[in-house]
Amino acid sequence: MLYRGQMIQMNRNPLGDGQRRFFEGSDGFADRLALRLCDRHYFPKKEFFESLYFSRFAQRRIKRLDKERPWVALDIACGHGLTGMLLAAYVRADRLGAVYLIDPHTPTRSEELTAIFAEMSPQASSRVMRLPTRLGAWIERVQEDPVLDGQRFFWMGCHACGELTDAIIAVAIRRREPFLVMPCCPNRRWKGTWPRDLCRPVRADLSALPDLGMAMDLTRLGRAQSADYRTMMRLIDVEITPHNRVLYGEPIELLHPEEATEADEMAIVSMDDETQGGVAGGEESVD
Ligand SMILES: C[S@@+](CC[C@H](N)C(=O)[O-])C[C@H]1O[C@@H](n2cnc3c(N)ncnc32)[C@H](O)[C@@H]1O
Protein backbone atom coordinates (compact mmCIF):
# COMPACT_ATOMS: atom_id res chain seq x y z
CA MET A 1 0.00 0.00 0.00
CA LEU A 2 1.01 3.63 -0.36
CA TYR A 3 2.08 5.54 2.71
CA ARG A 4 3.18 9.15 2.31
CA GLY A 5 3.86 8.52 -1.36
CA GLN A 6 5.92 5.37 -0.88
CA MET A 7 4.94 1.76 -1.43
CA ILE A 8 5.02 -0.15 1.83
CA GLN A 9 4.60 -3.91 2.03
CA MET A 10 2.19 -4.90 4.76
CA ASN A 11 2.88 -7.86 7.04
CA ARG A 12 3.34 -8.74 10.69
CA ASN A 13 7.11 -8.19 10.64
CA PRO A 14 8.28 -5.74 13.27
CA LEU A 15 8.99 -2.16 12.36
CA GLY A 16 12.74 -1.86 11.97
CA ASP A 17 15.54 -0.13 10.11
CA GLY A 18 14.06 -1.07 6.72
CA GLN A 19 10.95 0.99 7.46
CA ARG A 20 12.61 4.17 8.69
CA ARG A 21 12.42 5.81 5.25
CA PHE A 22 8.60 5.77 5.37
CA PHE A 23 8.52 7.95 8.46
CA GLU A 24 11.60 10.13 8.13
CA GLY A 25 11.24 13.79 7.23
CA SER A 26 7.81 14.14 8.82
CA ASP A 27 6.86 16.24 11.81
CA GLY A 28 3.75 14.17 12.48
CA PHE A 29 3.49 12.62 15.90
CA ALA A 30 2.64 9.17 14.55
CA ASP A 31 5.64 9.19 12.21
CA ARG A 32 7.97 10.27 14.97
CA LEU A 33 6.56 7.54 17.20
CA ALA A 34 6.98 4.99 14.41
CA LEU A 35 10.65 5.96 14.10
CA ARG A 36 11.12 5.30 17.81
CA LEU A 37 9.45 1.91 17.36
CA CYS A 38 11.75 1.16 14.41
CA ASP A 39 14.66 1.48 16.87
CA ARG A 40 13.14 -1.24 19.05
CA HIS A 41 12.50 -3.88 16.38
CA TYR A 42 9.48 -5.49 18.02
CA PHE A 43 6.23 -3.71 17.12
CA PRO A 44 4.34 -5.44 14.24
CA LYS A 45 4.11 -3.16 11.22
CA LYS A 46 0.55 -4.23 10.47
CA GLU A 47 -0.62 -3.38 14.00
CA PHE A 48 0.95 0.04 13.80
CA PHE A 49 -1.07 0.88 10.67
CA GLU A 50 -4.28 -0.69 11.99
CA SER A 51 -4.12 1.54 15.05
CA LEU A 52 -3.08 4.58 13.04
CA TYR A 53 -5.99 4.45 10.61
CA PHE A 54 -8.60 3.30 13.11
CA SER A 55 -7.64 6.09 15.47
CA ARG A 56 -7.94 8.61 12.63
CA PHE A 57 -11.59 7.69 12.24
CA ALA A 58 -12.03 8.16 15.95
CA GLN A 59 -10.27 11.55 15.90
CA ARG A 60 -12.58 12.84 13.22
CA ARG A 61 -15.72 11.64 14.87
CA ILE A 62 -14.80 13.01 18.31
CA LYS A 63 -13.89 16.40 16.88
CA ARG A 64 -17.40 16.59 15.41
CA LEU A 65 -19.21 15.66 18.61
CA ASP A 66 -20.66 18.36 20.79
CA LYS A 67 -18.20 20.45 22.75
CA GLU A 68 -20.22 20.93 25.92
CA ARG A 69 -17.76 18.91 27.99
CA PRO A 70 -14.90 16.57 27.19
CA TRP A 71 -15.49 13.01 26.04
CA VAL A 72 -13.77 9.98 27.52
CA ALA A 73 -12.66 7.42 24.93
CA LEU A 74 -12.67 3.74 25.81
CA ASP A 75 -10.17 1.62 23.87
CA ILE A 76 -11.64 -1.78 24.67
CA ALA A 77 -9.57 -4.89 23.93
CA CYS A 78 -6.76 -2.39 23.46
CA GLY A 79 -3.86 -4.87 23.45
CA HIS A 80 -0.76 -2.67 23.17
CA GLY A 81 -2.94 0.46 23.51
CA LEU A 82 -1.55 2.38 20.54
CA THR A 83 -5.02 3.30 19.22
CA GLY A 84 -5.95 5.11 22.42
CA MET A 85 -2.53 6.72 22.72
CA LEU A 86 -2.66 8.20 19.22
CA LEU A 87 -6.13 9.48 19.93
CA ALA A 88 -4.96 11.28 23.06
CA ALA A 89 -2.04 12.73 21.13
CA TYR A 90 -4.22 14.14 18.36
CA VAL A 91 -7.30 15.40 20.18
CA ARG A 92 -7.10 18.33 22.58
CA ALA A 93 -7.83 17.85 26.26
CA ASP A 94 -10.90 20.10 26.17
CA ARG A 95 -12.47 17.69 23.65
CA LEU A 96 -11.07 14.44 25.00
CA GLY A 97 -10.56 14.44 28.75
CA ALA A 98 -9.22 10.91 29.10
CA VAL A 99 -8.65 7.60 27.35
CA TYR A 100 -9.11 4.33 29.23
CA LEU A 101 -7.30 1.30 27.82
CA ILE A 102 -9.42 -1.68 28.85
CA ASP A 103 -7.97 -5.16 28.45
CA PRO A 104 -7.32 -7.94 31.00
CA HIS A 105 -4.02 -8.78 29.30
CA THR A 106 -1.04 -6.53 28.71
CA PRO A 107 1.07 -7.80 25.80
CA THR A 108 4.77 -8.37 26.35
CA ARG A 109 6.93 -5.28 25.76
CA SER A 110 3.92 -2.96 26.04
CA GLU A 111 5.79 -0.95 28.61
CA GLU A 112 8.24 0.09 25.89
CA LEU A 113 5.49 1.70 23.84
CA THR A 114 4.05 3.29 26.98
CA ALA A 115 7.46 4.74 27.89
CA ILE A 116 8.10 6.11 24.39
CA PHE A 117 4.66 7.70 24.34
CA ALA A 118 5.12 9.28 27.79
CA GLU A 119 8.49 10.69 26.76
CA MET A 120 7.17 12.10 23.48
CA SER A 121 4.01 13.61 24.91
CA PRO A 122 3.77 13.84 28.70
CA GLN A 123 0.57 15.86 28.34
CA ALA A 124 -1.23 13.28 26.20
CA SER A 125 0.15 10.40 28.22
CA SER A 126 -1.20 11.87 31.46
CA ARG A 127 -4.71 11.45 30.00
CA VAL A 128 -4.28 7.76 29.14
CA MET A 129 -4.90 5.13 31.80
CA ARG A 130 -4.59 1.35 31.44
CA LEU A 131 -7.28 -0.65 33.26
CA PRO A 132 -6.36 -4.35 33.34
CA THR A 133 -9.92 -5.62 33.50
CA ARG A 134 -12.59 -7.28 31.37
CA LEU A 135 -15.34 -5.21 29.80
CA GLY A 136 -18.20 -6.87 31.74
CA ALA A 137 -16.60 -6.23 35.14
CA TRP A 138 -15.64 -2.69 34.21
CA ILE A 139 -19.18 -1.78 33.18
CA GLU A 140 -20.48 -3.09 36.48
CA ARG A 141 -17.97 -0.83 38.23
CA VAL A 142 -19.19 2.15 36.20
CA GLN A 143 -22.76 1.44 37.24
CA GLU A 144 -21.75 1.55 40.91
CA ASP A 145 -19.71 4.74 40.66
CA PRO A 146 -21.74 7.91 40.02
CA VAL A 147 -18.65 9.93 39.05
CA LEU A 148 -17.56 7.38 36.45
CA ASP A 149 -21.14 6.85 35.35
CA GLY A 150 -21.54 10.60 34.80
CA GLN A 151 -18.78 10.73 32.19
CA ARG A 152 -19.54 10.73 28.48
CA PHE A 153 -17.95 7.76 26.78
CA PHE A 154 -16.87 7.23 23.19
CA TRP A 155 -16.79 3.43 22.81
CA MET A 156 -14.10 1.86 20.62
CA GLY A 157 -13.15 -1.69 19.76
CA CYS A 158 -10.36 -2.17 17.20
CA HIS A 159 -10.40 -5.90 16.46
CA ALA A 160 -12.19 -6.75 19.67
CA CYS A 161 -13.43 -9.96 17.97
CA GLY A 162 -16.99 -11.27 17.61
CA GLU A 163 -19.02 -11.09 20.74
CA LEU A 164 -17.00 -8.43 22.50
CA THR A 165 -17.78 -6.13 19.58
CA ASP A 166 -21.50 -6.86 20.08
CA ALA A 167 -21.19 -6.07 23.77
CA ILE A 168 -19.45 -2.75 23.07
CA ILE A 169 -22.25 -1.75 20.72
CA ALA A 170 -24.97 -2.94 23.13
CA VAL A 171 -23.57 -0.98 26.06
CA ALA A 172 -23.01 2.13 23.97
CA ILE A 173 -26.62 1.99 22.77
CA ARG A 174 -27.91 1.49 26.29
CA ARG A 175 -26.04 4.62 27.38
CA ARG A 176 -26.95 6.55 24.19
CA GLU A 177 -23.29 7.15 23.34
CA PRO A 178 -21.29 6.81 20.09
CA PHE A 179 -19.40 3.65 19.14
CA LEU A 180 -16.64 2.92 16.63
CA VAL A 181 -15.60 -0.68 16.01
CA MET A 182 -13.57 -2.65 13.49
CA PRO A 183 -14.82 -6.21 14.02
CA CYS A 184 -12.82 -9.37 13.43
CA CYS A 185 -13.12 -13.13 14.17
CA PRO A 186 -16.96 -13.31 13.98
CA ASN A 187 -17.33 -16.47 16.10
CA ARG A 188 -14.89 -15.70 18.88
CA ARG A 189 -16.24 -15.41 22.42
CA TRP A 190 -14.15 -13.98 25.23
CA LYS A 191 -14.68 -14.51 28.95
CA GLY A 192 -16.06 -11.56 30.91
CA THR A 193 -17.61 -9.85 27.93
CA TRP A 194 -21.09 -9.06 29.21
CA PRO A 195 -22.08 -7.25 32.40
CA ARG A 196 -24.48 -9.34 34.49
CA ASP A 197 -27.53 -7.21 33.69
CA LEU A 198 -27.19 -7.37 29.92
CA CYS A 199 -28.07 -10.51 27.99
CA ARG A 200 -26.14 -11.47 24.91
CA PRO A 201 -28.40 -10.98 21.88
CA VAL A 202 -29.74 -14.08 20.18
CA ARG A 203 -27.88 -14.27 16.91
CA ALA A 204 -29.49 -14.64 13.52
CA ASP A 205 -28.48 -17.80 11.70
CA LEU A 206 -26.47 -16.34 8.84
CA SER A 207 -24.72 -19.53 7.82
CA ALA A 208 -26.13 -19.44 4.30
CA LEU A 209 -24.04 -16.38 3.52
CA PRO A 210 -20.46 -16.74 2.25
CA ASP A 211 -19.17 -13.76 4.24
CA LEU A 212 -20.34 -14.22 7.82
CA GLY A 213 -18.39 -11.22 9.07
CA MET A 214 -20.06 -8.88 6.60
CA ALA A 215 -23.49 -10.31 7.39
CA MET A 216 -22.91 -9.83 11.11
CA ASP A 217 -21.71 -6.28 10.61
CA LEU A 218 -24.91 -5.43 8.76
CA THR A 219 -27.00 -6.84 11.59
CA ARG A 220 -24.90 -4.76 14.02
CA LEU A 221 -25.64 -1.59 12.11
CA GLY A 222 -29.30 -2.59 11.80
CA ARG A 223 -29.53 -3.04 15.56
CA ALA A 224 -28.12 0.44 16.07
CA GLN A 225 -30.37 1.98 13.43
CA SER A 226 -33.44 0.54 15.06
CA ALA A 227 -32.28 2.22 18.28
CA ASP A 228 -32.29 5.58 16.47
CA TYR A 229 -28.61 5.75 15.66
CA ARG A 230 -27.09 7.21 12.53
CA THR A 231 -24.73 4.53 11.33
CA MET A 232 -21.99 4.18 8.74
CA MET A 233 -19.58 1.59 7.46
CA ARG A 234 -16.21 2.58 6.02
CA LEU A 235 -13.11 0.68 4.98
CA ILE A 236 -9.44 0.94 5.74
CA ASP A 237 -6.98 -0.45 3.19
CA VAL A 238 -7.51 -4.19 2.93
CA GLU A 239 -3.74 -4.65 2.66
CA ILE A 240 -3.45 -3.62 6.29
CA THR A 241 -6.05 -6.13 7.41
CA PRO A 242 -8.76 -8.22 5.76
CA HIS A 243 -10.93 -7.32 8.79
CA ASN A 244 -11.11 -3.77 7.51
CA ARG A 245 -14.72 -2.67 8.01
CA VAL A 246 -15.11 0.24 10.40
CA LEU A 247 -18.59 0.65 11.85
CA TYR A 248 -19.71 3.88 13.46
CA GLY A 249 -22.92 4.69 15.26
CA GLU A 250 -24.08 7.91 16.85
CA PRO A 251 -27.40 8.54 18.60
CA ILE A 252 -29.45 10.90 16.47
CA GLU A 253 -30.00 13.26 19.40
CA LEU A 254 -26.23 14.00 19.33
CA LEU A 255 -26.13 14.99 15.67
CA HIS A 256 -25.54 18.57 14.69
CA PRO A 257 -28.50 19.73 12.57
CA GLU A 258 -26.30 20.32 9.51
CA GLU A 259 -24.93 16.77 9.73
CA ALA A 260 -28.17 15.32 8.52
CA THR A 261 -27.57 16.76 5.06
CA GLU A 262 -23.85 17.30 4.65
CA ALA A 263 -21.74 15.16 2.35
CA ASP A 264 -19.72 12.86 4.54
CA GLU A 265 -16.00 13.17 4.10
CA MET A 266 -15.38 9.79 5.67
CA ALA A 267 -14.76 7.95 2.44
CA ILE A 268 -12.23 5.17 2.14
CA VAL A 269 -9.21 6.32 4.10
CA SER A 270 -6.44 7.05 1.68
CA MET A 271 -3.15 5.75 2.95
CA ASP A 272 -1.43 8.39 0.90
CA ASP A 273 -3.18 11.44 2.20
CA GLU A 274 -2.02 12.75 5.54
CA THR A 275 -4.57 15.54 5.57
CA GLN A 276 -7.50 13.15 5.44
CA GLY A 277 -6.66 11.80 8.83
CA GLY A 278 -6.71 15.17 10.48
CA VAL A 279 -3.04 14.78 11.30
CA ALA A 280 -2.27 18.11 9.73
CA GLY A 281 -5.37 19.64 11.32
CA GLY A 282 -5.32 22.59 13.67
CA GLU A 283 -6.49 20.62 16.68
CA GLU A 284 -3.39 18.54 17.12
CA SER A 285 -2.68 18.47 20.82
CA VAL A 286 0.76 16.95 20.77
CA ASP A 287 3.19 18.67 23.04
C1 LIG B 1 -7.50 -9.46 18.73
S1 LIG B 1 -6.92 -8.70 20.17
C2 LIG B 1 -6.99 -6.98 19.70
C3 LIG B 1 -5.89 -6.17 20.27
C4 LIG B 1 -5.76 -4.74 19.75
N1 LIG B 1 -6.98 -3.98 19.81
C5 LIG B 1 -5.23 -4.74 18.34
O1 LIG B 1 -5.94 -4.34 17.42
O2 LIG B 1 -4.08 -5.12 18.17
C6 LIG B 1 -8.26 -8.90 21.28
C7 LIG B 1 -7.98 -8.41 22.70
O3 LIG B 1 -9.18 -8.57 23.47
C8 LIG B 1 -8.79 -8.74 24.82
N2 LIG B 1 -9.94 -9.25 25.61
C9 LIG B 1 -10.35 -10.51 25.74
N3 LIG B 1 -11.46 -10.57 26.51
C10 LIG B 1 -11.74 -9.30 26.88
C11 LIG B 1 -12.78 -8.72 27.66
N4 LIG B 1 -13.74 -9.46 28.21
N5 LIG B 1 -12.78 -7.40 27.84
C12 LIG B 1 -11.81 -6.61 27.26
N6 LIG B 1 -10.81 -7.12 26.49
C13 LIG B 1 -10.77 -8.45 26.30
C14 LIG B 1 -7.63 -9.72 24.69
O4 LIG B 1 -6.84 -9.70 25.86
C15 LIG B 1 -6.91 -9.18 23.45
O5 LIG B 1 -5.88 -8.29 23.81
Side-chain angles (χ1 to χ4, degrees):
M1 71 169 211
L2 270 179
Y3 182 70
R4 299 182 58 234
Q6 297 186 73
M7 212 48 167
I8 186 164
Q9 185 138 31
M10 205 44 61
N11 51 43
R12 295 197 67 83
N13 293 344
L15 290 171
D17 295 337
Q19 282 72 50
R20 296 189 64 86
R21 66 192 169 92
F22 298 111
F23 309 112
E24 277 165 348
S26 161
D27 255 359
F29 182 82
D31 292 315
R32 289 187 286 117
L33 179 74
L35 279 174
R36 300 284 299 270
L37 290 172
C38 286
D39 295 338
R40 304 288 178 124
H41 299 268
Y42 84 95
F43 199 91
K45 200 195 305 178
K46 173 182 177 303
E47 289 184 18
F48 175 80
F49 285 99
E50 272 171 17
S51 284
L52 178 63
Y53 288 104
F54 183 82
S55 84
R56 283 184 179 182
F57 278 112
Q59 287 159 37
R60 271 184 268 161
R61 298 329 299 177
I62 289 172
K63 286 174 182 179
R64 284 160 160 264
L65 290 171
D66 80 60
K67 302 175 175 60
E68 260 168 48
R69 59 197 170 98
W71 290 83
V72 172
L74 307 174
D75 183 0
I76 296 152
C78 64
H80 41 64
L82 180 59
T83 302
M85 292 177 196
L86 290 175
L87 193 57
Y90 281 111
V91 185
R92 289 189 331 218
D94 60 339
R95 308 300 313 281
L96 183 66
V99 179
Y100 298 154
L101 308 179
I102 298 174
D103 195 314
H105 304 293
T106 304
T108 44
R109 301 190 70 172
S110 285
E111 70 289 349
E112 293 183 48
L113 171 64
T114 307
I116 292 170
F117 177 57
E119 215 181 291
M120 287 181 65
S121 180
Q123 182 260 77
S125 138
S126 70
R127 287 184 286 135
V128 178
M129 195 188 312
R130 186 176 275 279
L131 306 173
T133 178
R134 294 189 162 91
L135 177 66
W138 186 74
I139 291 169
E140 286 167 16
R141 222 175 80 205
V142 170
Q143 287 165 342
E144 286 159 14
D145 180 340
V147 175
L148 209 47
D149 200 27
Q151 294 183 328
R152 301 198 302 172
F153 297 130
F154 183 90
W155 298 80
M156 301 190 297
C158 176
H159 289 171
C161 305
E163 209 173 87
L164 188 51
T165 299
D166 289 319
I168 292 169
I169 295 174
V171 180
I173 289 176
R174 183 164 75 169
R175 289 179 56 94
R176 307 296 302 164
E177 289 166 339
F179 66 82
L180 183 76
V181 293
M182 184 157 71
C184 63
C185 318
N187 287 319
R188 182 174 278 173
R189 286 184 165 176
W190 294 109
K191 239 168 81 182
T193 290
W194 298 94
R196 273 186 293 259
D197 65 337
L198 198 57
C199 294
R200 58 162 64 109
V202 178
R203 275 209 189 149
D205 179 354
L206 305 166
S207 52
L209 291 168
D211 187 340
L212 177 64
M214 170 66 96
M216 285 178 64
D217 287 351
L218 294 175
T219 65
R220 285 170 175 136
L221 293 184
R223 217 175 293 141
Q225 277 177 297
S226 63
D228 283 334
Y229 268 56
R230 182 177 83 142
T231 61
M232 55 179 88
M233 181 190 288
R234 296 291 184 267
L235 304 173
I236 65 166
D237 195 315
V238 71
E239 282 187 48
I240 299 177
T241 170
H243 302 294
N244 67 335
R245 286 184 295 274
V246 179
L247 316 182
Y248 179 67
E250 187 175 316
I252 52 169
E253 64 271 19
L254 287 185
L255 294 180
H256 296 297
E258 68 269 23
E259 276 215 296
T261 51
E262 72 180 6
D264 192 348
E265 95 294 8
M266 248 178 67
I268 293 174
V269 178
S270 161
M271 302 300 132
D272 200 28
D273 183 357
E274 277 291 277
T275 57
Q276 272 213 20
V279 173
E283 287 199 67
E284 187 169 344
S285 75
V286 175
D287 51 3

